[in-house]
Amino acid sequence: MSETRIGRLIVASLHQAIADVLPQRLEFYENWLNSHGLREGTIGMAPLLAAISFLRTEGPVYPQVMARAGEYASDWSLASMSPLRRRLILMLPLWWRARAALGVSREVVRASYVGSRAVTRIRKGVATVDLRGSLFCNVRETAAAPLCGYYAAIIERVLKLFQVPATAVTSSCRASGGARCELTVELYGKPDETTRASELS
Protein backbone atom coordinates (compact mmCIF):
# COMPACT_ATOMS: atom_id res chain seq x y z
CA MET A 1 0.00 0.00 0.00
CA SER A 2 1.30 3.45 -0.84
CA GLU A 3 1.91 5.70 2.13
CA THR A 4 -0.43 8.28 0.63
CA ARG A 5 -3.31 5.83 0.16
CA ILE A 6 -5.78 4.52 2.67
CA GLY A 7 -7.29 1.05 2.64
CA ARG A 8 -10.87 0.59 1.51
CA LEU A 9 -12.05 -0.68 4.90
CA ILE A 10 -11.97 2.56 6.87
CA VAL A 11 -13.17 4.68 3.95
CA ALA A 12 -16.08 2.39 3.11
CA SER A 13 -17.11 2.03 6.75
CA LEU A 14 -17.07 5.79 7.26
CA HIS A 15 -19.03 6.34 4.07
CA GLN A 16 -21.71 3.84 5.12
CA ALA A 17 -21.87 5.25 8.66
CA ILE A 18 -22.40 8.76 7.31
CA ALA A 19 -25.13 7.44 5.01
CA ASP A 20 -26.86 5.90 8.05
CA VAL A 21 -26.46 8.71 10.58
CA LEU A 22 -26.19 11.82 8.37
CA PRO A 23 -27.93 10.91 5.11
CA GLN A 24 -28.71 14.56 4.38
CA ARG A 25 -24.96 15.33 4.52
CA LEU A 26 -23.72 12.37 2.48
CA GLU A 27 -23.39 14.34 -0.75
CA PHE A 28 -21.19 16.87 1.05
CA TYR A 29 -18.86 14.18 2.39
CA GLU A 30 -18.68 12.47 -0.98
CA ASN A 31 -16.54 15.41 -2.09
CA TRP A 32 -13.78 13.51 -0.25
CA LEU A 33 -15.14 9.96 0.12
CA ASN A 34 -16.28 9.60 -3.47
CA SER A 35 -17.57 6.39 -5.03
CA HIS A 36 -14.79 6.18 -7.63
CA GLY A 37 -12.14 6.35 -4.94
CA LEU A 38 -14.00 3.72 -2.92
CA ARG A 39 -14.07 1.32 -5.88
CA GLU A 40 -10.47 1.89 -6.91
CA GLY A 41 -8.98 2.26 -3.43
CA THR A 42 -7.39 5.55 -4.44
CA ILE A 43 -8.59 7.84 -1.67
CA GLY A 44 -5.57 9.41 -0.03
CA MET A 45 -4.73 10.57 3.47
CA ALA A 46 -5.57 14.24 2.88
CA PRO A 47 -9.19 13.69 1.72
CA LEU A 48 -9.84 11.25 4.55
CA LEU A 49 -8.45 13.63 7.18
CA ALA A 50 -10.51 16.45 5.69
CA ALA A 51 -13.69 14.37 5.99
CA ILE A 52 -12.84 13.46 9.59
CA SER A 53 -12.15 17.11 10.40
CA PHE A 54 -15.56 18.15 9.08
CA LEU A 55 -17.21 15.30 10.96
CA ARG A 56 -15.83 16.67 14.22
CA THR A 57 -17.78 19.88 13.59
CA GLU A 58 -21.04 17.92 13.49
CA GLY A 59 -21.18 17.97 17.29
CA PRO A 60 -22.87 15.09 19.13
CA VAL A 61 -23.36 13.17 15.87
CA TYR A 62 -19.59 12.58 15.51
CA PRO A 63 -19.34 9.73 18.07
CA GLN A 64 -22.40 8.07 16.55
CA VAL A 65 -20.76 8.05 13.11
CA MET A 66 -17.48 6.74 14.51
CA ALA A 67 -19.18 3.97 16.47
CA ARG A 68 -21.22 2.89 13.47
CA ALA A 69 -18.12 2.94 11.24
CA GLY A 70 -16.22 0.76 13.69
CA GLU A 71 -19.07 -1.73 13.75
CA TYR A 72 -19.17 -1.90 9.95
CA ALA A 73 -15.40 -2.40 9.78
CA SER A 74 -15.70 -5.29 12.23
CA ASP A 75 -18.69 -6.89 10.51
CA TRP A 76 -17.09 -6.76 7.08
CA SER A 77 -13.74 -8.02 8.35
CA LEU A 78 -15.29 -11.05 10.03
CA ALA A 79 -17.46 -11.73 6.98
CA SER A 80 -14.29 -12.02 4.90
CA MET A 81 -12.52 -14.23 7.45
CA SER A 82 -12.07 -17.92 6.80
CA PRO A 83 -15.17 -19.78 8.07
CA LEU A 84 -12.87 -22.42 9.56
CA ARG A 85 -10.98 -19.83 11.58
CA ARG A 86 -14.24 -18.31 12.86
CA ARG A 87 -15.50 -21.73 13.93
CA LEU A 88 -12.24 -22.60 15.67
CA ILE A 89 -12.29 -19.36 17.66
CA LEU A 90 -15.93 -19.90 18.63
CA MET A 91 -15.07 -23.39 19.89
CA LEU A 92 -12.57 -22.02 22.42
CA PRO A 93 -13.42 -21.66 26.10
CA LEU A 94 -14.65 -18.14 26.86
CA TRP A 95 -11.43 -16.76 28.29
CA TRP A 96 -9.25 -18.01 25.44
CA ARG A 97 -11.90 -16.91 22.97
CA ALA A 98 -11.63 -13.40 24.41
CA ARG A 99 -7.87 -13.41 23.79
CA ALA A 100 -8.33 -14.67 20.25
CA ALA A 101 -11.03 -12.07 19.56
CA LEU A 102 -8.73 -9.30 20.80
CA GLY A 103 -6.17 -10.59 18.32
CA VAL A 104 -8.74 -10.31 15.53
CA SER A 105 -9.62 -6.77 16.63
CA ARG A 106 -5.94 -5.84 16.34
CA GLU A 107 -6.04 -7.10 12.75
CA VAL A 108 -9.09 -4.94 11.98
CA VAL A 109 -7.33 -1.86 13.40
CA ARG A 110 -4.31 -2.61 11.24
CA ALA A 111 -6.47 -3.25 8.16
CA SER A 112 -8.17 0.11 8.66
CA TYR A 113 -4.86 1.92 8.27
CA VAL A 114 -1.46 0.30 8.02
CA GLY A 115 0.05 3.01 10.24
CA SER A 116 -2.19 2.13 13.19
CA ARG A 117 -1.55 -0.55 15.78
CA ALA A 118 -3.35 -1.86 18.84
CA VAL A 119 -1.21 -3.39 21.58
CA THR A 120 -3.25 -5.33 24.14
CA ARG A 121 -2.61 -6.75 27.56
CA ILE A 122 -5.01 -8.49 29.94
CA ARG A 123 -4.95 -8.40 33.72
CA LYS A 124 -7.66 -9.65 36.07
CA GLY A 125 -10.42 -9.60 33.51
CA VAL A 126 -9.58 -6.17 32.11
CA ALA A 127 -7.87 -5.65 28.75
CA THR A 128 -5.88 -2.48 28.18
CA VAL A 129 -5.43 -1.47 24.55
CA ASP A 130 -2.65 0.94 23.65
CA LEU A 131 -3.59 2.58 20.34
CA ARG A 132 -0.69 3.78 18.23
CA GLY A 133 -0.98 5.84 15.08
CA SER A 134 -4.67 6.77 15.46
CA LEU A 135 -5.98 8.54 12.37
CA PHE A 136 -8.53 10.44 14.43
CA CYS A 137 -6.42 11.96 17.18
CA ASN A 138 -3.95 14.25 15.37
CA VAL A 139 -5.68 17.55 16.06
CA ARG A 140 -4.36 21.11 16.27
CA GLU A 141 -6.55 22.04 19.22
CA THR A 142 -7.45 19.91 22.22
CA ALA A 143 -10.76 18.15 21.69
CA ALA A 144 -13.51 18.42 24.28
CA ALA A 145 -14.01 14.63 24.25
CA PRO A 146 -11.97 11.57 23.21
CA LEU A 147 -11.88 10.80 19.50
CA CYS A 148 -11.02 7.09 19.71
CA GLY A 149 -14.59 5.83 19.37
CA TYR A 150 -13.93 4.09 16.06
CA TYR A 151 -11.41 1.78 17.71
CA ALA A 152 -13.53 1.19 20.83
CA ALA A 153 -16.40 0.16 18.57
CA ILE A 154 -14.18 -2.25 16.63
CA ILE A 155 -12.98 -4.02 19.76
CA GLU A 156 -16.40 -4.23 21.42
CA ARG A 157 -18.06 -5.41 18.19
CA VAL A 158 -15.47 -8.10 17.42
CA LEU A 159 -15.76 -9.44 20.97
CA LYS A 160 -19.55 -9.47 20.66
CA LEU A 161 -19.44 -11.30 17.33
CA PHE A 162 -17.34 -13.98 19.01
CA GLN A 163 -19.86 -14.11 21.87
CA VAL A 164 -17.58 -12.51 24.45
CA PRO A 165 -19.47 -10.11 26.75
CA ALA A 166 -17.40 -6.93 27.01
CA THR A 167 -17.52 -3.14 27.19
CA ALA A 168 -14.81 -0.94 25.65
CA VAL A 169 -14.33 2.68 26.71
CA THR A 170 -11.67 5.29 26.00
CA SER A 171 -9.60 5.85 29.14
CA SER A 172 -7.07 8.23 27.58
CA CYS A 173 -6.91 10.11 24.27
CA ARG A 174 -4.15 12.30 22.86
CA ALA A 175 -6.72 14.47 21.11
CA SER A 176 -8.35 15.41 24.42
CA GLY A 177 -5.08 16.01 26.26
CA GLY A 178 -4.05 12.51 27.30
CA ALA A 179 -0.49 11.23 27.10
CA ARG A 180 -1.57 8.39 24.83
CA CYS A 181 -4.63 6.81 23.24
CA GLU A 182 -5.75 3.95 25.45
CA LEU A 183 -8.90 1.87 25.76
CA THR A 184 -10.10 -0.12 28.76
CA VAL A 185 -12.06 -3.27 27.95
CA GLU A 186 -14.04 -4.97 30.71
CA LEU A 187 -14.24 -8.67 29.94
CA TYR A 188 -17.15 -10.41 31.64
CA GLY A 189 -16.53 -14.03 32.60
CA LYS A 190 -14.09 -15.86 34.84
CA PRO A 191 -10.56 -16.71 33.61
CA ASP A 192 -11.26 -20.42 34.19
CA GLU A 193 -14.58 -20.29 32.26
CA THR A 194 -15.02 -23.44 30.17
CA THR A 195 -18.41 -22.68 28.61
CA ARG A 196 -18.23 -22.90 24.86
CA ALA A 197 -19.99 -20.66 22.35
CA SER A 198 -22.54 -23.35 21.50
CA GLU A 199 -23.66 -23.39 25.14
CA LEU A 200 -24.18 -19.63 25.28
CA SER A 201 -26.82 -19.41 22.56
Side-chain angles (χ1 to χ4, degrees), residues 51-197:
I52 292 171
S53 179
F54 280 111
L55 278 168
R56 288 198 295 268
T57 69
E58 302 283 359
V61 175
Y62 173 85
Q64 297 177 40
V65 173
M66 291 298 115
R68 187 70 63 89
E71 291 172 358
Y72 275 123
S74 302
D75 290 348
W76 295 339
S77 294
L78 264 68
S80 65
M81 180 184 292
S82 159
L84 175 60
R85 185 184 179 197
R86 288 200 305 271
R87 286 197 299 270
L88 289 175
I89 292 176
L90 282 166
M91 289 173 63
L92 292 171
L94 179 59
W95 198 245
W96 290 105
R97 196 181 337 130
R99 290 177 177 273
L102 285 170
V104 173
S105 70
R106 290 196 300 269
E107 295 173 15
V108 179
V109 170
R110 188 74 166 173
S112 295
Y113 171 54
V114 71
S116 297
R117 290 179 59 208
V119 179
T120 61
R121 60 185 184 277
I122 302 176
R123 181 180 174 83
K124 296 182 178 179
V126 178
T128 301
V129 183
D130 181 7
L131 292 170
R132 303 176 184 178
S134 167
L135 277 173
F136 305 96
C137 300
N138 292 321
V139 295
R140 295 179 180 178
E141 298 181 1
T142 302
L147 302 180
C148 304
Y150 174 81
Y151 302 106
I154 285 175
I155 292 167
E156 192 168 307
R157 182 68 168 180
V158 169
L159 287 164
K160 179 180 179 180
L161 291 171
F162 281 114
Q163 300 182 30
V164 179
T167 302
V169 297
T170 303
S171 50
S172 177
C173 177
R174 288 186 296 110
S176 57
R180 64 177 65 187
C181 291
E182 188 174 271
L183 305 176
T184 299
V185 186
E186 294 280 350
L187 301 169
Y188 304 112
K190 297 178 181 179
D192 61 348
E193 175 66 67
T194 58
T195 302
R196 295 183 182 274

Side-chain angles (χ1 to χ4, degrees), residues 9-25:
L9 182 63
I10 190 170
V11 177
S13 62
L14 273 176
H15 184 275
Q16 187 60 53
I18 293 168
D20 290 352
V21 180
L22 286 169
Q24 72 280 8
R25 298 277 285 159

Side-chain angles (χ1 to χ4, degrees), residues 32-43:
W32 297 278
L33 309 178
N34 58 78
S35 57
H36 176 75
L38 282 169
R39 286 194 304 270
E40 302 298 325
T42 57
I43 292 176

